């Protein structure tokens, strides 16, 4: 029973354009959400997070949007760069529990 | 600053063998976690610990054991290796749980059971 779903296993974007990675969740008790990035042969690294009381959080080229009513969040990368090519994991949790991860989306940014 | 260190990086086990995956962190984090990642799948929590002497099961604990005798170390034990345990294992740690509490991951251990 997947509580966090990333339905697109891969995304291919041209350099300079916007990358939009999507994530859906089922548990309305989740109150914070995170995105992690993972390069091959490395562990995931934290990218950006958002609290359930916000609908947007920005950090440089990365913006996360949260739509609580739709139980949906997205990560926007603008402009996309070749170094952004990696697997992106969406994760969700509540302050009382543990983190649940999605299956990941492989982003490829081509020149 | 080493962060989270896992050993070994790679291991091949025969069915029925046992082994311990080592994990140590030097950030004085209270929380430590073990995840496994199967091909095309997300990270699934095996066990976690909220402090020395305290451990709890995650989503997929069967076939594994853990201990947390110190803040720094959180080893994962496989007693009777099975092919279903072929996976990449990640150890992680965090200061706390909740927002703005990022988890730091090790580089992973790729385990193959034959």
């Amino acid at each position: 029973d997947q509580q966090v779903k990333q339905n697109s296993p891969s995304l291919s974007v041209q350099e300079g354009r916007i990358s939009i990675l999507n994530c859906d969740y089922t548990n309305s008790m989740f109150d914070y959400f995170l995105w992690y990035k993972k390069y091959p042969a490395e562990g995931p690294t934290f990218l950006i997070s958002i609290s359930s009381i916000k609908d947007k959080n920005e950090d440089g080229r990365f913006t996360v949007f949260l739509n609580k009513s739709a139980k949906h969040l997205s990560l926007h990368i603008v402009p996309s760069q070749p170094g952004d090519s990696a697997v992106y994991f969406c994760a969700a949790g509540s302050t009382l529990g543990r983190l649940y991860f999605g299956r990941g989306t492989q982003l490829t940014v081509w020149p | 600053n080493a962060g989270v260190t896992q050993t070994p990086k790679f291991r091949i086990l025969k069915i029925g063998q046992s082994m311990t995956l080592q994990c140590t962190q030097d950030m004085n984090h209270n929380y430590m976690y073990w995840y496994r990642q199967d091909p095309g799948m997300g990270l699934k929590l095996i066990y976690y610990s909220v402090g020395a002497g305290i451990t709890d099961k995650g989503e997929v604990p069967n076939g594994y054991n853990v201990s947390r005798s110190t803040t720094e170390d959180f080893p994962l034990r496989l007693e009777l290796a099975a092919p279903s345990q072929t996976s990449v294992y990640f150890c992680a740690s965090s200061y706390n749980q909740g927002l703005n509490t990022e988890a730091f991951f090790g580089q992973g251990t790729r385990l193959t059971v034959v």
Side-chain angles (χ1 to χ4, degrees), chain B residues 83-106:
Chain B
S84 61
Q85 293 177 305
T86 294
S87 190
V88 181
Y89 291 82
F90 291 101
C91 178
S93 73
S94 65
Y95 177 70
N96 208 330
Q97 274 188 335
L99 186 65
N100 297 327
T101 304
E102 61 179 283
F104 294 82
F105 284 80

Side-chain angles (χ1 to χ4, degrees), chain A residues 6-57:
Chain A
Q6 293 177 260
N7 292 321
S8 298
S10 62
L11 176 67
S12 183
V13 171
Q14 188 175 25
E15 181 178 8
R17 297 202 176 251
I18 185 171
S19 296
I20 300 176
L21 295 95
N22 294 303
C23 178
D24 297 294
Y25 62 95
T26 57
N27 190 339
S28 58
M29 297 300 291
F30 289 145
D31 54 15
Y32 66 99
F33 307 88
L34 307 94
W35 285 93
Y36 282 81
K37 182 165 86 170
K38 184 183 179 304
Y39 292 118
E42 294 185 11
T45 54
F46 171 75
L47 190 59
I48 192 170
S49 63
I50 187 168
S51 162
S52 60
I53 63 173
K54 291 188 169 184
D55 54 18
K56 178 182 173 182
N57 189 28

Side-chain angles (χ1 to χ4, degrees), chain B residues 32-96:
Chain B
M32 294 189 75
Y33 316 84
W34 275 105
Y35 290 91
R36 59 177 286 175
Q37 184 191 12
D38 300 328
M41 304 293 284
L43 296 159
K44 292 193 175 181
L45 184 64
I46 304 171
Y47 270 96
Y48 67 104
S49 169
V50 302
I54 306 169
T55 62
D56 207 349
K57 296 178 180 178
E59 300 171 77
V60 289
N62 291 343
Y64 307 94
N65 278 303
V66 293
S67 60
R68 184 95 182 269
S69 56
T70 66
T71 299
E72 295 78 19
D73 300 306
F74 190 41
L76 177 72
R77 178 89 178 155
L78 282 72
E79 291 294 350
L80 290 169
S84 61
Q85 293 177 305
T86 294
S87 190
V88 181
Y89 291 82
F90 291 101
C91 178
S93 73
S94 65
Y95 177 70
N96 208 330

